Amino acid sequence: METNKQEIIKSRVGGFGGSDAKMFYKVGLKGIESLSETDKRRIAVALGQAEFVENFTSEAMDAGNKFEKWLGEKLNIYENLESNFKIELKEQAKEQQKNFKIFAHADFYNKNKNSVIEAKLTTSNLEETINDYMPQLQWYYMLGVDEVYLAKGYQNKPFEIFHEAFIERDDKFIDVLKNGIKIIDEFCNTFVYSEKEEWTEDDLLPYEQQAVQLMYNYLSQIKKLEEEVEKQKELLFDVMNKNGVKSIKSDKFILTVVPESVRSTFDKVKLLKEHPEINEADYLKQSVVKPYLKITLK
């Protein structure tokens, strides 16, 4: 499994696989202007202009890998399938692109039938999953496979609950993929990649966009809850203050009224004004601060 994984990672330099099919389909429909920064970096990796950086494996991705492994063990009881089998574009079709190779690593490949089974573990239903992954499924037909099947499992459910669907060949869909390949190939003739420091949400991969949205939802809920807590604190403080109560205790919390006090602060501006001979830089202490993510809600 690890050997296959390393082979897939290595193949990202010099070519594009089934996981890139959605990018080609998008460009085939909407043109080169539809490329995101993530897409451009992927192209740069394929052309050797940027180093491949392996994506963080989320819980959902890890569960998908486990589902694929489980499915492979189950399917091989009935038929001899090859896992992560590399399928390359047929020789007679290779003239349509010059700057990169076109291939796919099939989850399961049956050499006798020239058929592929693609495994997906998603939260959506079967029809939605087929639509979401249609570019990748038709990509196999474009490469010359005769039959394509989707084995769809469900997130947070036993692997035994899965559905298998035959995916019909769609020549119009394939034409769009080929058009995308042609457009990107021409784009590669003059493309020079440079890192962009500022991205938009559209530049993220789908699962990264989901992570951002989830983070925003959590932070929005926290902000609302904090505002509500402040309202309740004001109410309880008013009740305790009016009744001369210093604390309220329970097995879950302790509420304590902190009395008025005087806080002392250091007036640096006044000190430097009265003593101009002091060089502030002589008293600065430097320390390394690790990089972190700052989040600003609008």
Side-chain angles (χ1 to χ4, degrees), residues 157-168:
K157 289 186 178 181
F159 291 161
E160 289 80 7
I161 304 175
F162 77 95
H163 292 93
E164 188 174 345
F166 171 70
I167 307 301
E168 293 185 2

Side-chain angles (χ1 to χ4, degrees), residues 4-251:
N4 290 331
K5 180 181 178 181
Q6 293 303 319
E7 181 185 344
I8 292 172
I9 291 174
K10 185 178 179 181
S11 67
R12 290 182 176 273
V13 178
F16 297 96
S19 61
D20 303 303
K22 187 171 287 188
M23 175 182 70
F24 286 96
Y25 185 73
K26 176 178 65 175
V27 171
L29 278 179
K30 302 178 181 179
I32 203 68
E33 297 80 11
S34 64
L35 286 176
S36 68
E37 283 303 308
T38 303
D39 294 332
K40 291 177 182 177
R41 196 180 196 290
R42 174 66 188 95
I43 293 173
V45 170
L47 298 179
Q49 296 182 16
E51 184 180 354
F52 171 72
V53 179
E54 190 173 357
N55 291 326
F56 168 76
T57 302
S58 65
E59 289 185 12
M61 294 167 66
D62 184 55
N65 292 334
K66 291 178 180 177
F67 172 67
E68 181 183 333
K69 182 179 179 182
W70 173 87
L71 187 65
E73 293 172 353
K74 178 180 178 63
L75 292 176
N76 274 321
I77 297 175
Y78 305 101
E79 51 187 321
N80 186 25
L81 300 174
E82 296 186 58
S83 299
N84 294 308
F85 183 82
K86 187 176 182 180
I87 305 170
E88 295 190 65
L89 193 65
K90 290 184 177 180
E91 287 295 330
Q92 61 268 30
K94 286 186 177 180
E95 64 272 7
Q96 64 185 305
Q97 91 288 328
K98 307 295 182 183
N99 292 293
F100 46 78
K101 296 178 181 179
I102 294 295
F103 54 85
H105 286 91
D107 288 342
F108 306 104
Y109 177 71
N110 187 317
K111 188 175 182 179
N112 295 329
K113 297 181 179 179
N114 190 27
S115 64
V116 163
I117 299 176
E118 185 69 18
K120 299 295 180 187
L121 189 72
T122 67
T123 56
S124 55
N125 61 35
L126 179 62
E127 183 178 356
E128 291 170 338
T129 302
I130 291 174
N131 290 333
D132 288 341
Y133 289 97
M134 187 58 76
Q136 184 176 2
L137 297 169
Q138 293 298 324
W139 187 267
Y140 287 117
Y141 279 121
M142 184 187 71
L143 294 178
V145 171
D146 292 328
E147 295 179 350
V148 178
Y149 297 86
L150 173 69
K152 183 260 183 294
Y154 295 85
Q155 287 279 2
N156 303 317
K157 289 186 178 181
F159 291 161
E160 289 80 7
I161 304 175
F162 77 95
H163 292 93
E164 188 174 345
F166 171 70
I167 307 301
E168 293 185 2
R169 180 187 176 96
D170 188 330
D171 288 320
K172 290 183 178 179
F173 208 106
I174 293 172
D175 286 341
V176 176
L177 287 172
K178 289 180 178 179
N179 186 45
I181 292 173
K182 180 181 178 182
I183 292 173
I184 291 179
D185 184 50
E186 292 174 353
F187 175 71
C188 289
N189 290 330
T190 57
F191 173 67
V192 178
Y193 180 70
S194 60
E195 295 282 356
K196 182 180 175 182
E197 292 188 351
E198 292 188 6
W199 287 10
T200 67
E201 192 174 342
D202 292 335
D203 291 322
L204 298 172
L205 295 170
Y207 80 91
E208 294 169 339
Q209 292 179 7
Q210 292 174 6
V212 169
Q213 186 60 50
L214 189 61
M215 176 190 67
Y216 172 77
N217 292 342
Y218 286 151
L219 289 174
S220 297
Q221 292 173 22
I222 290 172
K223 185 178 180 180
K224 291 178 182 179
L225 290 172
E226 287 177 339
E227 291 173 352
E228 190 60 35
V229 167
E230 288 301 317
K231 291 179 183 179
Q232 302 308 317
K233 283 175 66 177
E234 290 178 11
L235 186 152
L236 291 168
F237 175 79
D238 188 52
V239 170
M240 295 172 70
N241 197 40
K242 286 181 178 179
N243 290 278
V245 178
K246 293 184 178 181
S247 67
I248 299 175
K249 298 181 179 180
S250 81
D251 57 345

Side-chain angles (χ1 to χ4, degrees), residues 263-281:
R263 179 180 299 170
S264 297
T265 57
F266 178 70
D267 193 339
K268 184 180 73 172
V269 175
K270 182 180 179 181
L271 174 67
L272 295 177
K273 184 177 181 180
E274 293 180 355
H275 298 277
E277 73 279 5
I278 296 177
N279 184 6
E280 184 181 357

